[in-house]
Amino acid sequence: MSSTATRDPSRSSIGTASSYLSNVSNFKIIESTLREGEQFANAFFTTEKKIEIAKALDEFGVEYLELTSPAASTQSYNDCKAIVGLGLKAKILTHVRCHMDDAKLAVQTGVDGLDVVIGTSSYLREFSHGKDMQYIIDTATEVINYVKGEGLEVRFSSEDSFRSDIVDLLNLYRAVDKLGVNRVGIADTVGCASPDQVAELVRTLRAIVSCDIECHFHNDTGCAIANAYAALQNGATHVDTSVLGIGERNGIPPLGGFIARMYAADKEYVKAKYNLGKLRDIENIVADAVGVSVPFNNYITGYCAFTHKAGIHAKAILNNPSTYEILRPEDFGMTRYVAIGHRLTGWNAVKNRVEQLGLPLTDADCKQITNKIKNLADIRPLSLDDVDKLLRKYGQAKEDNSHHAILENIDTPDQITEW
């Protein structure tokens, strides 16, 4: 058997050396659509919609759901309690400021854990809360001890980690790790970090703390998914996502995009862990709720994600889908589509459609029809319905040997449409 036949086509053959730090095959998702996602410009989730989204994400299999702080509003407090009361498999977290009042209010809702955060960069210390590092450590100690005393999970995260002083940052993480937090978090709050910078910080952090490491990456410069992957490669354990990546400004790693990246890294792990066929439904729920469309080029579920057009691509895909697909659409409840009504089409794609329709046409017939499609598509692309009409008309005409006239008498796509 050839090496091509035995190799997993979803895995790259380059740079696959494993690292003892890597958690690429051992990570957890903290799904933040109901927290970070509420900060999306168009977002307004009713209680009913939050419950629908929470149930859908739970069915997908995310390990954690992160909710807006109960201190944000009365309804936010009530929504926390409502989602806690659903009895979902996912653990319910809420995101709170490093402040005792916020922590006490959050504990009252019955959540499983608190994600505590405070700004640590010089920008945020000067222009946001105005506190020094000693104040941050002292306040963090008080809040963490309280949350732990209530028997809840606690994550402590710096905000704007990548613009914070590294010495201050590491001293803070050492201090909270000694207090027994479940996780420390790093946050690329403004989306300025690169994968190399992420790898370096996470490796450094992994060497000084014994707890888990959570990562929160914004997508302002297009690196959110790559940064999340780099973090896991270098010892991080938890990644924040949101459906369609919605959030403050350009948002954070989209759940679907992150899943696509991790599927390519370890397909069997991801397939076993998550209900991948539910992804499209979740995205449709959220897209409808915030008044946007799922992008045409969306990871996995965009209508172009598994559409093949160029003739060379189409031929290879029809012979072996792994030639031009790193993701198997059927694993996500999706199907591939080979577009054929255009000037770039090839006769193998046309032949495949002929076979799907059950028409008794030869290879020579398919080649002649392909040439006609190309000529017509120079005027405008043909719809699949147009192509099917042409193929069927040609097949019927073969019965009385008038099929050549069919092609000769068509000058524009509109003639087919009007049949």
Side-chain angles (χ1 to χ4, degrees):
M1 184 176 291
S2 70
S3 60
T4 302
T6 57
R7 185 190 310 136
D8 181 352
S10 70
R11 305 290 291 272
S12 171
S13 59
I14 300 172
T16 56
S18 62
S19 164
Y20 73 96
L21 291 175
S22 178
N23 285 311
V24 165
S25 298
N26 184 29
F27 62 86
K28 292 181 173 64
I29 293 174
I30 296 180
E31 225 303 314
S32 191
T33 299
L34 296 178
R35 196 282 293 178
E36 178 71 45
E38 276 213 286
Q39 295 172 222
F40 175 59
N42 287 4
F44 175 78
F45 299 135
T46 63
T47 302
E48 293 73 22
K49 185 58 65 177
K50 286 184 180 181
I51 288 172
E52 182 183 8
I53 292 169
K55 287 180 175 179
L57 287 167
D58 189 57
E59 190 173 355
F60 179 81
V62 300
E63 292 84 358
Y64 292 88
L65 295 174
E66 185 181 58
L67 311 182
T68 295
S69 171
S73 72
T74 300
Q75 194 58 55
S76 296
Y77 176 89
N78 292 336
D79 289 344
C80 262
K81 296 192 73 172
I83 292 173
V84 166
L86 295 175
L88 303 178
K89 297 185 293 294
K91 289 185 176 182
I92 310 302
L93 308 173
T94 187
H95 187 267
V96 299
R97 296 171 297 183
C98 188
H99 192 285
M100 282 298 294
D101 290 346
D102 286 17
K104 289 178 178 178
L105 193 63
V107 168
Q108 292 173 18
T109 66
V111 293
D112 297 300
L114 273 64
D115 288 344
V116 179
V117 64
I118 191 166
T120 51
S121 70
S122 60
Y123 296 96
L124 297 184
R125 284 158 56 191
E126 180 177 355
F127 298 109
S128 180
H129 55 70
K131 308 300 183 183
D132 61 22
M133 287 304 299
Q134 189 57 53
Y135 173 90
I136 291 172
I137 291 174
D138 292 344
T139 305
T141 299
E142 182 184 17
V143 172
I144 291 166
N145 284 336
Y146 167 71
V147 177
K148 282 178 58 63
E150 294 294 320
L152 303 184
E153 279 194 24
V154 58
R155 178 220 70 187
F156 180 86
S157 179
S158 60
E159 186 182 14
D160 204 8
S161 309
F162 289 87
R163 296 193 298 173
S164 298
D165 180 85
I166 187 65
V167 174
D168 287 343
L169 206 58
L170 297 181
N171 285 338
L172 176 60
Y173 286 133
R174 283 193 188 97
V176 298
D177 183 47
K178 289 177 181 177
L179 295 173
V181 295
N182 298 86
R183 298 182 303 284
V184 292
I186 61 172
D188 183 19
T189 306
V190 297
C192 65
S194 68
D196 285 347
Q197 291 170 317
V198 170
E200 183 176 356
L201 179 56
V202 174
R203 275 198 307 269
T204 302
L205 185 55
R206 182 71 285 164
I208 67 166
V209 299
S210 58
C211 61
D212 287 340
I213 300 173
E214 177 183 340
C215 295
H216 183 88
F217 298 109
H218 276 264
N219 203 35
D220 300 71
T221 58
C223 288
I225 295 173
N227 284 343
Y229 187 69
L232 291 176
Q233 285 182 309
N234 289 277
T237 55
H238 296 63
V239 170
D240 296 2
T241 69
S242 68
V243 177
L244 297 175
I246 62 171
E248 192 78 29
R249 303 183 317 280
N250 286 349
I252 64 173
L255 175 63
F258 176 70
I259 286 292
R261 175 60 262 174
M262 303 318 298
Y263 175 104
D266 192 338
K267 176 174 64 178
E268 296 307 320
Y269 176 75
V270 171
K271 285 173 61 179
K273 196 172 192 185
Y274 301 109
N275 191 352
L276 302 180
K278 297 295 182 181
L279 181 62
R280 178 167 53 177
D281 291 341
I282 296 169
E283 291 181 342
N284 287 337
I285 290 169
V286 173
D288 180 68
V290 299
V292 301
S293 298
V294 174
F296 72 92
N297 61 342
N298 196 50
Y299 310 92
I300 300 171
T301 62
Y303 79 83
C304 288
F306 298 107
T307 296
H308 303 275
K309 184 174 179 180
I312 294 174
H313 284 232
K315 178 182 178 181
I317 278 289
L318 294 170
N319 287 329
N320 183 342
S322 294
T323 51
Y324 285 104
E325 287 178 350
I326 203 69
L327 312 174
R328 295 179 73 245
E330 51 267 42
D331 286 344
F332 302 91
M334 305 296 291
T335 56
R336 73 180 52 85
Y337 171 64
V338 178
I340 58 177
H342 53 86
R343 62 173 64 135
L344 304 180
T345 197
W347 77 270
N348 286 281
V350 173
K351 179 183 177 181
N352 178 257
R353 186 60 182 168
V354 166
E355 292 171 348
Q356 289 176 350
L357 296 174
L359 300 174
L361 303 184
T362 66
D363 286 358
D365 292 327
C366 292
K367 290 175 181 178
Q368 288 185 351
I369 295 169
T370 299
N371 288 334
K372 174 56 70 172
I373 291 173
K374 284 175 171 286
N375 291 335
L376 294 174
D378 272 338
I379 301 171
R380 70 159 172 82
L382 281 68
S383 68
L384 183 60
D385 187 52
D386 288 339
V387 173
D388 287 353
K389 285 180 180 179
L390 176 59
L391 295 175
R392 289 192 174 101
K393 193 85 165 179
Y394 184 96
Q396 292 169 0
K398 278 204 74 174
E399 296 176 5
D400 60 11
N401 208 35
S402 63
H403 51 293
H404 296 299
I406 290 292
L407 298 183
E408 291 169 359
N409 293 331
I410 300 172
D411 297 315
T412 70
D414 291 342
Q415 289 175 258
I416 300 174
T417 304
E418 292 168 0
W419 283 348

